Amino acid sequence: MAAAAHDLYRAVWRWHFYAGLFVAPLLLILAITGSIYLFNDEIEDAVHPALRFAPERRAALPPSRLIAAAQSAYPGTATRIDLPSQPRRTAQVFVTPARGEPLRVFVDPGTARVHGAFVYTRTLVGFADTVHGSLLLGRFGDAVVELAACWALLLIATGLYLWWPSGPGWHRALWPDLRARGRGFWRSLHGAVGVWTSALTVFLILTGLPWAGVWGDLLRTGTQSLGIGYPEQHRHHGPAGAAAAPTMAQAIGETPWALRDAPMPRSAHSHHATHHGVSPAPATDIGIDAAVRALAARGLLADYRLSLPQSADGVYTAVVYPDRPQGQRSVQIDRYRGTVAGDTGFADYGWAAQAVELGVQLHMGNYFGRANQLLMLLPCLGVVGLCFSGTWMWWRRRPSGRMGAPRAATPARTKTVVAIAVGCGLLFPLLGACLLLVFALDRWLIARLPRLQAALR
């Protein structure tokens, strides 16, 4: 029995080693960039105060004036304007120039004075945001981040198994042994930090995975098919036989998670019907100011993102995205008729989508202010400490010139590992596929290459 327990411990340790080897550098990147983004508003205000603040205003100019001023200073196509509610904040106009990267132009809502512009991805917060989501590698990077997050779950599970104390003095394992020296101290520190931050780290991973490419798409598809995802009114949108409407994510980019796959409502046809052989006359766009008035009539007065229509049947789309998801709302205005083409709020989401949106806001440190930011900062700092302490222990333990991987499990324990890999694959497909690949390499490739096997030990 003791030999079997020792063999299982060794097998778990080997997988913990492999998981740490793969995921530690990526987790370090995610923890640092996540920590930066937790305080995105505070950082942007400190770094770009001249852009983000304006003199207090008594009244705001029409959005068309603000967009015209932004386009005059930075020629290009305006795609969105963010209207602030605070009287000392500037409005942000999103402009796509004929050449170069998209700009965010900051305009005083009271005077239409342009304060300046920047490329979001070239700012500290924008860089951290992009790296945190895709490592600057697009869809491939998104898959790597998702895989790292899933491996981190395995790392936490195996770490807790290895740490789990036995005997009456188990409570001593909750704190680092300050009397120990060398590797003993680092091991106790690594275990204590891991156990105290593991729950919050798992929470961060699970609330971040809905935005991942593979797992997020599967989750949205599953919740939609069960009727607990995006709202019922979006599930059969559009006339029969019509071309598929773009999703809200495709049409406007940033959107609540629950509505990413929701079909975007359309404006009335861009030409009036022909009468008695007369050529159809182009329909007239109501303009952004009329759209803003229509939104005001629906209770949206400020503090929302307003995306402009980019196609003949596009709509004006206002998205309210507050710190607490219960206030989320998306309203579409027909660009020709000025009527409401869609109006969806948090109460319209299915319960699963509501849970995801709540988790996202907690994940980003938004829900209950500074305390939420500091609470989410704890696991980020914990991950940084675990990465450094784990790497240091490995570096000190490994034999000179070799990797120092724990020995492979016996064939009896191999079946257990395969079962775990299959179980993980059912919940997290990318992780399951990667586990099987690593297992195959470990069992059938490394075992047949004595030199490689010796280098790993």
Side-chain angles (χ1 to χ4, degrees), residues 13 16-25 27-28 155 159 162 182-194 381-398 403-406:
W13 184 20
H16 188 77
F17 172 83
Y18 278 136
L21 190 68
F22 167 72
V23 84
L27 280 184
L28 190 61
L155 194 63
L162 296 172
R183 187 168 175 267
F185 167 76
W186 288 103
R187 188 176 186 276
S188 68
L189 177 66
H190 188 82
V193 171
L381 296 177
V383 167
V384 172
L386 289 170
C387 289
F388 279 112
S389 59
T391 302
W392 179 251
M393 285 193 297
W394 163 71
W395 188 259
R396 294 292 300 271
R397 181 186 63 81
R398 71 182 184 88
M403 186 171 290

Side-chain angles (χ1 to χ4, degrees), residues 275-350:
H275 294 286
H276 306 295
V278 179
S279 297
T284 302
D285 192 316
I286 62 171
I288 188 172
D289 295 339
V292 167
R293 290 193 293 271
L295 291 168
R298 302 287 294 192
L300 275 66
L301 301 177
D303 204 18
Y304 59 82
R305 311 164 180 172
L306 180 57
S307 296
L308 282 62
Q310 301 299 311
S311 63
D313 59 357
V315 291
Y316 290 96
T317 302
V319 176
V320 181
Y321 198 71
D323 292 343
R324 297 197 171 188
Q326 292 87 345
Q328 286 184 14
R329 191 175 172 193
S330 300
V331 181
Q332 289 82 24
I333 301 296
D334 188 300
R335 67 181 301 183
Y336 305 114
R337 299 176 179 176
T339 54
V340 175
D343 189 346
T344 308
F346 182 82
D348 299 310
Y349 303 167

Side-chain angles (χ1 to χ4, degrees), residues 395-455:
W395 188 259
R396 294 292 300 271
R397 181 186 63 81
R398 71 182 184 88
S400 178
R402 289 186 289 169
M403 186 171 290
R407 292 182 178 274
T410 61
R413 294 304 171 191
T414 295
K415 296 178 181 179
T416 303
V417 172
V418 172
I420 292 173
V422 171
C424 290
L426 294 176
L427 290 175
F428 307 103
L430 275 181
L431 175 61
C434 189
L435 280 174
L436 290 175
L437 176 62
V438 171
F439 170 76
L441 292 175
D442 188 34
R443 177 58 56 185
W444 291 300
L445 179 63
I446 295 175
R448 287 169 170 76
L449 299 174
R451 290 186 179 181
L452 181 58
Q453 193 173 27

